[in-house]
Amino acid sequence: YEQYVTSPSLAARTVFTMFAQDGDVLDGGGAVVDLGCGSGMLGIGCAMLGGASVVGMDIDADALSLALENAERADLSDALELVQGDVNASRLPLRPKSADIVIMNPPFGTRTKGADVQFLRAAVQIASYSVYSLHKTS
């Protein structure tokens, strides 16, 4: 899998920006999906700031195990639901418009052309309000 580490400072800035922009949505019981959650850093950050419902989805079972360990370390394992799934699947494991916001650090598509586009398509299907996505600059 094409995976990249999100630095703690970038994750914190991204989650803080999301809450600054869309905090009213989340204060009202909004749901967040961390798509391609990897270690769970973005989803855990959302849970720390009070996201009512936070789901992390990844294709990699090892990444999901790490995300669970990290959520347990942060005493947030009850606040983060983890789902194994593939954004390339003909049917996503998450319903369309099942979250208010999707946050993600997707593959950049440098190893698999178009991988980033598949994540964006899935994010737009899942989110009913906003998509926050980190992308590589060249």
Side-chain angles (χ1 to χ4, degrees):
Y1 307 109
E2 185 177 339
Q3 299 173 330
Y4 300 94
V5 174
T6 305
S7 73
S9 62
L10 178 59
R13 285 194 314 268
T14 302
V15 171
F16 180 79
T17 299
M18 182 186 81
F19 272 82
Q21 289 292 124
D22 293 327
D24 56 331
V25 172
L26 299 167
D27 289 341
V32 178
V33 169
D34 179 358
L35 195 58
C37 67
S39 67
M41 189 177 303
L42 295 172
I44 291 167
C46 291
M48 284 180 168
L49 289 181
S53 167
V54 182
V55 174
M57 183 181 115
D58 206 290
I59 192 172
D60 185 347
D62 292 335
L64 291 170
S65 293
L66 178 58
L68 178 58
E69 286 175 29
N70 289 336
E72 288 169 347
R73 265 192 230 116
D75 200 24
L76 289 166
S77 58
D78 291 340
L80 181 66
E81 178 185 350
L82 297 169
V83 176
Q84 188 169 14
D86 182 354
V87 297
N88 295 311
S90 60
R91 185 163 176 250
L92 287 169
L94 302 171
R95 293 183 331 275
K97 307 304 177 203
S98 60
D100 298 291
I101 297 170
V102 170
I103 190 168
M104 62 183 180
N105 181 11
F108 302 138
T110 57
R111 291 188 201 150
T112 305
K113 187 172 173 59
D116 52 340
V117 174
Q118 292 296 77
F119 269 79
L120 288 167
R121 285 186 181 133
V124 169
Q125 285 180 8
I126 296 166
S128 64
Y129 192 76
S130 295
V131 173
Y132 289 84
S133 184
L134 304 173
H135 289 270
K136 178 180 178 182
T137 58
S138 302

